[in-house]
Amino acid sequence: MRIGIAGAGAFGTALAVTLAQAGQAVTLWARDAEAVGEIRRTRRVERLPEIELPEGIEPVSELSSLFACDTILMALPAQATRVFVTEHAGALVGKVLVACAKGIDLHSLTGQTAIISDAVPSATPALLTGPSFAADIARGLPTALTLACADDGCGAALQHALSTPTLRLYRSADVIGAELGGALKNVIAIACGACIGAGLGDSARAALMTRGFAEMQRLAASLGAAPETLMGLSGFGDLVLTCSSELSRNYRYGLALGRGEAFDSHMTVEGAATARAVTDLAAARGLDLPISAVTARMVAGDLTPLQALDALINRPLKEERE
């Protein structure tokens, strides 16, 4: 299996590092030829400057080198996936494409694998998701992720090919559930970061995480996901990690909102766009997702964190199971 990685950001690079250290030859593609030249010279990338790239990684800017691989890990920002696979659909025919981004597309209101299937019907889509920070993977710290694929044979092959001594993959056939868990937890992480940033305390954060998890389950069930999937690595596990650590971009972005501080505009925050997409998706399906809705309004600047909390606390009282 020849493995290519589209996207030399932190996560794509971390995957390349752990695979190369396990003896796999990896083609790491980035769009900027000048940046790739610098990576070749220094054997380092900007997002993980402390990590030296193993010799098994070949940084490239030529798409032909990426498309020569039969398995491609799509480590692009979630909102960039649709454009990339649509523009290069012909070159991706027959490939195994593994989505690594966690987000719902604003244009189609679908997840990453649906975008791949729509653009390249002959491709075999899979998903790699779960609780992980790129730096941990690159440093060889033990990490467990979910590898979701509807094709059991393909899923098993990917599980064995992409697992390493420090990266353990658990297989699932529930692509929808795994995908939604990874996307929706980013929205809740923004809310939790804003909560802490505004000084509202850990008890309020715990409430947001718990009720946010209920929203994740509600939307996932409406789209046909298995409830147990959300209880696993790609749902509950990722939610806990992302809502409790400043290593999470989404959580840090929420902290900045809560503190009234500026956030690096060059940093991709998947949950910001996904909050808007989830709000539209929930409205189309007649679902009540209040935390996601107020988070989308915070991101848009329509509500302050304190106003968002007030809107949630003053909702009608109900049973916890609702």
Side-chain angles (χ1 to χ4, degrees):
M1 182 183 292
R2 299 177 63 185
I3 296 176
I5 299 178
F11 193 67
T13 300
L15 290 174
V17 168
T18 191
L19 289 169
Q21 288 175 339
Q24 178 71 251
V26 180
T27 298
L28 180 64
W29 175 84
R31 190 182 306 274
D32 189 332
E34 184 176 341
V36 168
E38 184 68 9
I39 293 171
R40 286 174 175 164
R41 186 182 68 81
T42 64
R43 301 303 296 177
R44 297 180 188 274
V45 299
E46 182 181 357
R47 294 297 186 189
L48 291 173
E50 72 282 7
I51 303 296
E52 183 174 353
L53 302 188
E55 288 303 315
I57 299 174
E58 181 188 7
V60 301
S61 59
E62 304 82 14
L63 282 167
S64 57
S65 298
L66 176 68
F67 295 151
C69 302
D70 49 35
T71 297
I72 299 175
L73 309 187
M74 305 289 296
L76 301 168
Q79 301 306 319
T81 300
R82 181 174 54 86
V83 173
F84 183 87
V85 296
T86 301
E87 286 184 352
H88 305 295
L92 297 172
V93 170
K95 306 291 185 184
V96 175
L97 302 178
V98 184
C100 300
K102 300 173 181 178
I104 296 175
D105 181 60
L106 275 168
H107 177 81
S108 62
L109 301 184
T110 61
Q112 302 295 290
T113 55
I115 292 170
I116 291 171
S117 293
D118 288 345
V120 194
S122 66
T124 302
L127 176 74
L128 188 62
T129 186
S132 60
F133 290 134
D136 289 349
I137 294 174
R139 289 167 56 199
L141 298 179
T143 304
L145 299 178
T146 296
L147 189 285
C149 185
D151 183 318
D152 193 58
C154 180
L158 285 170
Q159 182 183 33
H160 287 286
L162 302 180
S163 292
T164 74
T166 57
L167 181 63
R168 180 177 176 85
L169 303 187
Y170 287 84
R171 195 166 78 252
S172 172
D174 183 10
V175 178
I176 293 175
E179 200 161 47
L180 287 173
L184 300 179
K185 61 86 187 178
N186 283 334
V187 178
I188 308 306
I190 293 174
C192 287
C195 169
I196 296 300
L200 301 178
D202 290 328
S203 297
R205 171 169 55 181
L208 283 172
M209 288 176 65
T210 307
R211 296 306 300 165
F213 186 56
E215 290 189 14
M216 291 167 59
Q217 292 176 306
R218 199 176 306 146
L219 180 58
S222 78
L223 293 170
E228 57 268 23
T229 303
L230 274 293
M231 297 298 297
L233 290 166
S234 59
F236 179 73
D238 213 356
L239 178 72
V240 170
L241 182 69
T242 311
C243 292
S244 59
S245 173
E246 291 192 34
L247 290 177
S248 161
R249 294 182 190 179
N250 292 278
Y251 181 74
R252 290 203 311 274
Y253 175 66
L255 279 175
L257 286 178
R259 294 168 178 166
E261 299 173 351
F263 190 80
D264 185 355
S265 60
H266 296 97
M267 191 75 70
T268 299
V269 181
E270 299 285 26
T274 295
R276 293 165 50 198
V278 167
T279 300
D280 291 343
L281 187 58
R285 303 187 71 84
L287 296 174
D288 183 27
L289 306 180
I291 296 174
S292 300
V294 298
T295 301
R297 294 183 66 189
M298 275 198 303
V299 168
D302 297 335
L303 288 179
T304 68
L306 291 177
Q307 288 171 332
L309 178 68
D310 185 65
L312 292 172
I313 284 187
N314 287 294
R315 285 172 53 80
L317 298 174
K318 58 177 66 177
E319 292 187 16
E320 186 176 16
R321 63 184 180 181
E322 297 179 356

